[in-house]
Amino acid sequence: MACPMMHDTRPYRSVLYIPASRARAMEKAKGLPVDAIIFDLEDAVIVDEKAPARDLLRDRLAEGGFGPRVQIVRINGFDTEWGRDDLDTIAAASPQAILLPKVNGPADIEALAALLDQRPETADTRIWAMMETPLGVLNAARIAAVPRVAGFVLGTNDLAKDLNARSREAMVTSLQLCLLAARAHGLICIDGVYNAFKDEDGLAAECRQGRDFGFDGKTLIHPAQIATANAIFAPSDAELDLARRQIDAFDSATARGEGVAVVDGKIVENLHVETARATLAKADAIAALEAA
Ligand code: COA
Ligand code: MG
């Protein structure tokens, strides 16, 4: 069994899907400024390419070269004819994380965890859950509570399909239920994709909305989307400046024996200082990643 997970403090601003059938795209990813990669064996890979893609992916993961980018493999579900073979093949490369599609409840996660436990190569492999079915969203808190789960990825295309929803607004309850569950259990939570990959303004607006909801980052489908997500999910210069001034003001107030400071006409209490410190820590983590 893997060690209990420390809270993951790595940045996840940009999480790029790459179809594992596309050797050239996988090679290209080694030079892209993404925080994490989801190598996909599921919906982005056509039936005829499922088997060669999983062999190619095992070899590429074993070779390495992806640097500090977090590497996550999305396998097919175990209710398909490919899921078990995907896991058996990819396990040989000791993947950092397996992303399970269409998770409906904790039993789906426990079944995967039991298979990972059987092999020494996957002793440290974490589990991520695609949150993309109505039942999965309703069971989000129980899914997040399974110890091996490290993160949620919102599958907003599947969710819209199952909900018969035609807008982002119609999915807000689902997004927030997943965020609540993720935060209650210390998980990373990544927003769904923005399909119109040539519409930069639309992507930026959705990234800002996702950031303001509390997501750690956005899943992406094309390299052209990376810079926008990286910028919007990073603390801005103004946020960093405010964070430093809040910490300084609070320290001065404490030195005077007071428990509350005022910055820009707004009160600063202990909890605001915690947020300010988290903002600075996030910027440091991004700087360290970019230097690596
Ligand atoms: N990851 C890494 N590189 C990618 C990429 C991705 N997701 N998508 C495109 N690229 C690369 C291409 O290989 C190409 O590189 P090259 O010029 O060195 O050959 C470059 O970026 C430009 O690609 P472009 O021609 O604009 O796109 P495309 O027509 O080849 O592909 C998509 C467009 C949408 C089919 C493709 O981006 C894709 O498959 N995205 C992922 C889809 C996915 O995984 N979906 C499942 C989850 S929703
Ligand atoms: Mg899906």
Side-chain angles (χ1 to χ4, degrees):
M1 184 62 196
C3 316
M5 178 74 174
M6 299 290 289
H7 186 64
D8 192 348
T9 54
R10 290 173 293 185
Y12 283 91
R13 298 164 298 168
S14 49
V15 180
L16 179 65
Y17 280 104
I18 306 184
S21 51
R22 292 186 64 168
R24 198 178 157 84
M26 284 199 276
E27 196 53 35
K28 199 178 172 90
K30 295 177 181 175
L32 293 174
V34 287
D35 293 344
I37 299 169
I38 297 173
F39 297 101
D40 192 22
L41 292 168
E42 199 217 14
D43 283 352
V45 177
I46 60 169
V47 169
D48 285 352
E49 289 182 358
K50 295 276 188 200
R54 74 166 78 94
D55 289 343
L56 178 68
L57 178 56
R58 174 202 53 214
D59 294 347
R60 289 299 154 92
L61 288 176
E63 265 166 46
F66 297 99
R69 299 164 191 80
V70 177
Q71 297 146 52
I72 301 165
V73 177
R74 185 165 78 169
I75 60 173
N76 288 279
F78 293 123
D79 55 345
T80 71
E81 62 184 280
W82 312 287
R84 190 57 203 262
D85 287 342
D86 287 349
L87 184 69
D88 288 345
T89 302
I90 295 303
S94 293
Q96 294 175 8
I98 297 286
L99 173 59
L100 192 63
K102 301 188 175 70
V103 173
N104 283 319
D108 296 332
I109 303 287
E110 280 152 8
L112 172 56
L115 293 171
L116 296 175
D117 279 344
Q118 285 170 12
R119 300 178 172 83
E121 309 93 285
T122 49
D124 294 324
T125 300
R126 310 300 309 183
I127 297 175
W128 284 58
M130 284 301 302
M131 301 302 287
E132 55 184 347
T133 69
L135 195 52
V137 171
L138 290 170
N139 284 327
R142 292 168 60 221
I143 295 166
V146 181
R148 205 160 182 155
V149 177
F152 278 173
V153 174
L154 271 292
T156 40
N157 283 326
D158 270 297
L159 199 53
K161 171 175 154 276
D162 283 5
L163 291 176
N164 210 9
R166 296 192 186 191
S167 68
R168 176 105 160 144
E169 204 178 12
M171 288 190 283
V172 166
T173 299
S174 303
L175 301 180
Q176 292 182 331
L177 281 170
C178 292
L179 276 160
L180 282 164
R183 296 303 170 230
H185 293 282
L187 307 188
I188 300 296
C189 197
I190 312 294
D191 200 357
V193 298
Y194 188 72
N195 294 330
F197 60 87
K198 293 183 178 156
D199 173 5
E200 257 183 59
D201 293 343
L203 173 68
E206 201 170 279
C207 283
R208 281 193 288 271
Q209 186 199 41
R211 175 202 60 196
D212 292 355
F213 280 166
F215 284 106
D216 294 291
K218 194 148 181 76
T219 42
L220 309 174
I221 49 178
H222 193 280
Q225 298 182 310
I226 298 169
T228 300
N230 279 349
I232 291 175
F233 283 96
S236 67
D237 290 344
E239 284 166 341
L240 291 171
D241 175 62
L242 177 63
R244 289 191 194 98
R245 288 188 296 119
Q246 287 176 321
I247 292 167
D248 288 349
F250 190 78
D251 286 349
S252 305
T254 310
R256 292 193 302 270
E258 294 162 14
V260 180
V262 177
V263 172
D264 298 346
K266 293 179 189 155
I267 64 159
V268 177
E269 298 176 321
N270 233 336
L271 68 131
H272 301 111
V273 173
E274 265 180 50
T275 304
R277 288 196 203 287
T279 300
L280 298 184
K282 188 171 182 184
D284 287 346
I286 291 167
L289 181 71
E290 285 173 352

